[in-house]
Amino acid sequence: MQLQLLRNALLKLTYAGRTLLIDPDFGPRHRRPSFTGRSPNPMVELPEPIETILAGVDQLIVSHLHADHFDEVAKERIPKHLPLLCQPGDEEAIREAGFTEVTPLDHFLRLGSIVIKRQPAQHGTGAVVEKMGPVMGLTFEAPGEPTLYWCGDSVLYPPLRDAVAATDPDIIVTHSCGAHWDDTLIVMDAQQTLDLCAAQPHATVIATHMEALDHATVSREALRQAADAQGIGHNRLLIPADGETLVISAPARAGA
């Protein structure tokens, strides 16, 4: 498995012979308005040209339609024939943008040797959940690959905890910037990320979705310091920089 963090939630995943692009936001720095008055968004540029990011991609995944996960530049620049996986309810808007092979994921699907399953996610708590709208997490499983649990835009709440425990993944990808909306947490913050690390001591957690949007409250440095204070080492919690690629092999599990 090879996982490259491009920016924010944008990931390029090479897994079981496929290259998947997750949540494409291609907009240049400061293209969109500020959420808080601190800075226009996104706050940083992409680390690579769009042509390089798209090279080799054979599957798109759009978890939901917020602009930092599927923006107008991505809609313009991505070839419309590429197959695209989305959550139910978003397919019509994506087809209206010109994409021709759009598949809503109700439960699971097979992509070659990969099994992709939809998992629970909640974009906040209380009244803000309705404002944020539905979102989804995903798991990826394939022979010879680590099992990957991608949490998506979600806080750490009981259904997600239960789904992670039931999956028992090797790798967990979190959105850990501690973004707020209406003074309410809408993705994991540092403590929720560390709580998930503690709950899944055999998994490697990869924290993403950081230092790109102005309503975030947690920096990479702050998360690392909090992890160090709780004795969660660099091998347990990875915090990649924009553009960084991680190469991870499937671990040998006891009894396997």
Side-chain angles (χ1 to χ4, degrees):
M1 168 188 143
Q2 183 171 293
L3 183 70
Q4 183 183 21
L5 170 64
L6 278 309
R7 181 184 65 190
N8 201 44
L10 174 54
L11 299 176
K12 191 172 185 177
L13 171 65
T14 302
Y15 193 87
R18 304 264 181 166
T19 300
L20 305 92
L21 196 68
I22 301 174
D23 281 358
D25 170 11
F26 289 168
R29 179 174 181 258
H30 292 173
R31 177 184 174 90
R32 298 190 299 271
S34 169
F35 293 126
T36 66
R38 182 160 67 98
S39 169
N41 290 301
M43 298 192 299
V44 294
E45 294 284 8
L46 288 168
E48 295 181 355
I50 292 171
E51 294 81 5
T52 303
I53 294 170
L54 287 172
V57 170
D58 48 37
Q59 177 71 49
L60 304 170
I61 296 176
V62 173
S63 66
H64 61 298
L65 298 181
H66 289 175
D68 62 311
H69 295 259
F70 192 42
D71 79 321
E72 294 302 318
V73 179
K75 293 173 188 177
E76 293 170 3
R77 296 291 300 274
I78 295 173
K80 300 300 188 291
H81 68 274
L82 281 175
L84 190 153
L85 187 66
C86 67
Q87 65 177 348
D90 289 348
E91 62 268 31
E92 191 57 39
I94 294 170
R95 290 189 183 113
E96 288 176 359
F99 292 85
T100 58
E101 192 175 337
V102 183
T103 302
L105 180 63
D106 287 302
H107 301 292
F108 75 94
L109 63 77
R110 294 186 181 273
L111 187 65
S113 63
I114 307 170
V115 176
I116 304 176
K117 298 178 183 176
R118 186 178 179 185
Q119 300 292 348
Q122 183 174 291
H123 207 347
T125 58
V128 80
V129 174
E130 185 174 352
K131 292 183 179 181
M132 293 295 101
V135 292
M136 66 177 178
L138 297 168
T139 52
F140 302 82
E141 299 176 76
E145 293 282 11
T147 297
L148 170 64
Y149 194 112
W150 179 82
C151 295
D153 260 9
S154 182
V155 294
L156 183 60
Y157 75 127
L160 188 151
R161 284 181 180 269
D162 293 345
V164 172
T167 303
D168 190 23
D170 303 302
I171 307 296
I172 303 170
V173 175
T174 60
H175 291 180
S176 297
C177 70
H180 283 72
W181 195 270
D182 290 348
D183 297 320
T184 301
L185 188 69
I186 57 173
V187 298
M188 294 185 206
D189 59 9
Q191 191 55 58
Q192 289 192 354
T193 303
L194 301 183
D195 288 347
L196 188 56
C197 289
Q200 297 297 128
H202 302 298
T204 299
V205 175
I206 302 172
T208 67
H209 205 304
M210 305 185 77
E211 299 180 355
L213 302 174
D214 78 325
H215 62 337
T217 63
V218 180
S219 68
R220 289 178 170 97
E221 182 180 0
L223 178 58
R224 176 57 65 200
Q225 289 177 351
D228 289 346
Q230 294 194 20
I232 297 173
H234 291 228
N235 61 327
R236 290 277 331 283
L237 175 63
L238 307 180
I239 310 174
D242 289 353
E244 184 174 350
T245 298
L246 306 173
V247 179
I248 302 171
S249 299
R253 293 234 177 178

PDB file of all heavy atoms in Angstrom, residues 212-226:
ATOM      1  N   ALA A 212      -4.822  23.375   6.341  1.00  0.00           N
ATOM      2  CA  ALA A 212      -5.234  23.785   5.001  1.00  0.00           C
ATOM      3  C   ALA A 212      -6.447  24.713   5.004  1.00  0.00           C
ATOM      4  O   ALA A 212      -6.656  25.424   4.026  1.00  0.00           O
ATOM      5  CB  ALA A 212      -5.540  22.556   4.149  1.00  0.00           C
ATOM      6  N   LEU A 213      -7.238  24.693   6.081  1.00  0.00           N
ATOM      7  CA  LEU A 213      -8.467  25.486   6.145  1.00  0.00           C
ATOM      8  C   LEU A 213      -8.467  26.351   7.402  1.00  0.00           C
ATOM      9  O   LEU A 213      -7.974  25.929   8.450  1.00  0.00           O
ATOM     10  CB  LEU A 213      -9.689  24.570   6.137  1.00  0.00           C
ATOM     11  CG  LEU A 213      -9.814  23.638   4.932  1.00  0.00           C
ATOM     12  CD1 LEU A 213     -10.980  22.687   5.127  1.00  0.00           C
ATOM     13  CD2 LEU A 213      -9.964  24.424   3.642  1.00  0.00           C
ATOM     14  N   ASP A 214      -9.092  27.522   7.306  1.00  0.00           N
ATOM     15  CA  ASP A 214      -8.930  28.480   8.391  1.00  0.00           C
ATOM     16  C   ASP A 214      -9.861  28.249   9.573  1.00  0.00           C
ATOM     17  O   ASP A 214      -9.765  28.957  10.579  1.00  0.00           O
ATOM     18  CB  ASP A 214      -9.047  29.915   7.876  1.00  0.00           C
ATOM     19  CG  ASP A 214     -10.478  30.367   7.617  1.00  0.00           C
ATOM     20  OD1 ASP A 214     -11.306  29.537   7.194  1.00  0.00           O
ATOM     21  OD2 ASP A 214     -10.762  31.567   7.818  1.00  0.00           O
ATOM     22  N   HIS A 215     -10.761  27.248   9.501  1.00  0.00           N
ATOM     23  CA  HIS A 215     -11.562  26.938  10.692  1.00  0.00           C
ATOM     24  C   HIS A 215     -10.979  25.765  11.478  1.00  0.00           C
ATOM     25  O   HIS A 215     -11.593  25.289  12.433  1.00  0.00           O
ATOM     26  CB  HIS A 215     -13.028  26.705  10.340  1.00  0.00           C
ATOM     27  CG  HIS A 215     -13.313  25.554   9.434  1.00  0.00           C
ATOM     28  ND1 HIS A 215     -12.397  25.011   8.577  1.00  0.00           N
ATOM     29  CD2 HIS A 215     -14.461  24.824   9.243  1.00  0.00           C
ATOM     30  CE1 HIS A 215     -12.949  24.005   7.904  1.00  0.00           C
ATOM     31  NE2 HIS A 215     -14.186  23.882   8.292  1.00  0.00           N
ATOM     32  N   ALA A 216      -9.783  25.329  11.080  1.00  0.00           N
ATOM     33  CA  ALA A 216      -9.085  24.297  11.845  1.00  0.00           C
ATOM     34  C   ALA A 216      -8.504  24.893  13.124  1.00  0.00           C
ATOM     35  O   ALA A 216      -8.172  26.078  13.177  1.00  0.00           O
ATOM     36  CB  ALA A 216      -7.972  23.694  10.999  1.00  0.00           C
ATOM     37  N   THR A 217      -8.367  24.043  14.137  1.00  0.00           N
ATOM     38  CA  THR A 217      -7.847  24.503  15.427  1.00  0.00           C
ATOM     39  C   THR A 217      -6.636  23.710  15.892  1.00  0.00           C
ATOM     40  O   THR A 217      -6.044  24.054  16.919  1.00  0.00           O
ATOM     41  CB  THR A 217      -8.931  24.414  16.517  1.00  0.00           C
ATOM     42  OG1 THR A 217      -9.306  23.037  16.705  1.00  0.00           O
ATOM     43  CG2 THR A 217     -10.166  25.224  16.142  1.00  0.00           C
ATOM     44  N   VAL A 218      -6.258  22.653  15.160  1.00  0.00           N
ATOM     45  CA  VAL A 218      -5.158  21.777  15.580  1.00  0.00           C
ATOM     46  C   VAL A 218      -4.094  21.756  14.486  1.00  0.00           C
ATOM     47  O   VAL A 218      -4.395  21.443  13.330  1.00  0.00           O
ATOM     48  CB  VAL A 218      -5.651  20.346  15.856  1.00  0.00           C
ATOM     49  CG1 VAL A 218      -4.482  19.449  16.283  1.00  0.00           C
ATOM     50  CG2 VAL A 218      -6.733  20.333  16.932  1.00  0.00           C
ATOM     51  N   SER A 219      -2.858  22.059  14.842  1.00  0.00           N
ATOM     52  CA  SER A 219      -1.740  21.990  13.901  1.00  0.00           C
ATOM     53  C   SER A 219      -1.048  20.634  14.012  1.00  0.00           C
ATOM     54  O   SER A 219      -1.247  19.885  14.977  1.00  0.00           O
ATOM     55  CB  SER A 219      -0.733  23.095  14.192  1.00  0.00           C
ATOM     56  OG  SER A 219      -0.087  22.854  15.437  1.00  0.00           O
ATOM     57  N   ARG A 220      -0.225  20.338  13.027  1.00  0.00           N
ATOM     58  CA  ARG A 220       0.570  19.109  13.093  1.00  0.00           C
ATOM     59  C   ARG A 220       1.459  19.106  14.338  1.00  0.00           C
ATOM     60  O   ARG A 220       1.566  18.092  15.033  1.00  0.00           O
ATOM     61  CB  ARG A 220       1.428  18.974  11.825  1.00  0.00           C
ATOM     62  CG  ARG A 220       0.640  18.650  10.564  1.00  0.00           C
ATOM     63  CD  ARG A 220       1.584  18.587   9.363  1.00  0.00           C
ATOM     64  NE  ARG A 220       0.936  18.063   8.162  1.00  0.00           N
ATOM     65  CZ  ARG A 220       0.420  18.814   7.198  1.00  0.00           C
ATOM     66  NH1 ARG A 220       0.461  20.141   7.304  1.00  0.00           N
ATOM     67  NH2 ARG A 220      -0.136  18.260   6.138  1.00  0.00           N
ATOM     68  N   GLU A 221       2.107  20.226  14.600  1.00  0.00           N
ATOM     69  CA  GLU A 221       3.002  20.300  15.757  1.00  0.00           C
ATOM     70  C   GLU A 221       2.243  20.089  17.061  1.00  0.00           C
ATOM     71  O   GLU A 221       2.709  19.363  17.961  1.00  0.00           O
ATOM     72  CB  GLU A 221       3.716  21.648  15.790  1.00  0.00           C
ATOM     73  CG  GLU A 221       4.695  21.793  16.939  1.00  0.00           C
ATOM     74  CD  GLU A 221       5.406  23.134  16.955  1.00  0.00           C
ATOM     75  OE1 GLU A 221       5.127  23.957  16.066  1.00  0.00           O
ATOM     76  OE2 GLU A 221       6.238  23.354  17.858  1.00  0.00           O
ATOM     77  N   ALA A 222       1.067  20.693  17.178  1.00  0.00           N
ATOM     78  CA  ALA A 222       0.281  20.535  18.409  1.00  0.00           C
ATOM     79  C   ALA A 222      -0.159  19.087  18.597  1.00  0.00           C
ATOM     80  O   ALA A 222      -0.142  18.563  19.721  1.00  0.00           O
ATOM     81  CB  ALA A 222      -0.928  21.462  18.371  1.00  0.00           C
ATOM     82  N   LEU A 223      -0.548  18.422  17.517  1.00  0.00           N
ATOM     83  CA  LEU A 223      -0.953  17.022  17.624  1.00  0.00           C
ATOM     84  C   LEU A 223       0.230  16.161  18.022  1.00  0.00           C
ATOM     85  O   LEU A 223       0.100  15.270  18.869  1.00  0.00           O
ATOM     86  CB  LEU A 223      -1.552  16.545  16.303  1.00  0.00           C
ATOM     87  CG  LEU A 223      -1.991  15.078  16.256  1.00  0.00           C
ATOM     88  CD1 LEU A 223      -3.017  14.763  17.340  1.00  0.00           C
ATOM     89  CD2 LEU A 223      -2.548  14.726  14.871  1.00  0.00           C
ATOM     90  N   ARG A 224       1.396  16.403  17.439  1.00  0.00           N
ATOM     91  CA  ARG A 224       2.573  15.620  17.806  1.00  0.00           C
ATOM     92  C   ARG A 224       2.932  15.825  19.259  1.00  0.00           C
ATOM     93  O   ARG A 224       3.257  14.863  19.987  1.00  0.00           O
ATOM     94  CB  ARG A 224       3.749  16.002  16.893  1.00  0.00           C
ATOM     95  CG  ARG A 224       5.066  15.328  17.238  1.00  0.00           C
ATOM     96  CD  ARG A 224       4.965  13.799  17.243  1.00  0.00           C
ATOM     97  NE  ARG A 224       4.671  13.289  15.926  1.00  0.00           N
ATOM     98  CZ  ARG A 224       4.161  12.081  15.684  1.00  0.00           C
ATOM     99  NH1 ARG A 224       3.858  11.277  16.695  1.00  0.00           N
ATOM    100  NH2 ARG A 224       3.912  11.679  14.466  1.00  0.00           N
ATOM    101  N   GLN A 225       2.885  17.050  19.727  1.00  0.00           N
ATOM    102  CA  GLN A 225       3.218  17.315  21.126  1.00  0.00           C
ATOM    103  C   GLN A 225       2.233  16.614  22.060  1.00  0.00           C
ATOM    104  O   GLN A 225       2.632  16.045  23.080  1.00  0.00           O
ATOM    105  CB  GLN A 225       3.228  18.822  21.379  1.00  0.00           C
ATOM    106  CG  GLN A 225       4.395  19.542  20.739  1.00  0.00           C
ATOM    107  CD  GLN A 225       4.352  21.047  20.952  1.00  0.00           C
ATOM    108  OE1 GLN A 225       3.353  21.595  21.456  1.00  0.00           O
ATOM    109  NE2 GLN A 225       5.414  21.740  20.573  1.00  0.00           N
ATOM    110  N   ALA A 226       0.948  16.633  21.704  1.00  0.00           N
ATOM    111  CA  ALA A 226      -0.054  15.961  22.536  1.00  0.00           C
ATOM    112  C   ALA A 226       0.180  14.450  22.540  1.00  0.00           C
ATOM    113  O   ALA A 226       0.029  13.791  23.578  1.00  0.00           O
ATOM    114  CB  ALA A 226      -1.452  16.288  22.030  1.00  0.00           C
TER     115      ALA A 226
END
